[in-house]
Amino acid sequence: MLTRTAKPRNVTDPPGMPCPRCGKPIRLSIEKLLTATPVYCSDCGLQLVLDRRASAEGLDAARALQNAMKDLVGSK
């Protein structure tokens, strides 16, 4: 979970988040979130576990975003 103290991201930054343990970037995609693929920090090895039940609303929004992006790419 990101807090309000998280550093603002630029649209040119690769998708992901800073590692809560070491602060290094963790690459994260909508696909990884939706498929429950394990997410690890490549620097310190921390495994991130998503509480899928508590995150259901956010996951639904991510799924809707992913579908909208696919529709947009498919319409070109």
Side-chain angles (χ1 to χ4, degrees), residues 9-36:
R9 292 181 33 87
N10 294 316
V11 294
T12 56
D13 289 346
M17 61 178 273
C19 175
R21 182 187 291 162
C22 71
K24 299 292 183 182
I26 297 176
R27 292 193 179 236
L28 192 58
S29 66
I30 292 175
E31 290 80 15
K32 272 190 178 181
L33 289 174
L34 294 178
T35 60

Side-chain angles (χ1 to χ4, degrees), residues 30 34 57-71:
I30 292 175
L34 294 178
E57 188 176 331
L59 289 169
D60 288 343
R63 194 172 292 107
L65 175 61
Q66 182 184 44
N67 289 336
M69 289 171 29
K70 284 181 182 177
D71 290 345

Side-chain angles (χ1 to χ4, degrees), residues 38-49:
V39 177
Y40 297 92
C41 175
S42 61
D43 224 61
C44 71
L46 176 71
Q47 179 182 4
L48 299 175
V49 178

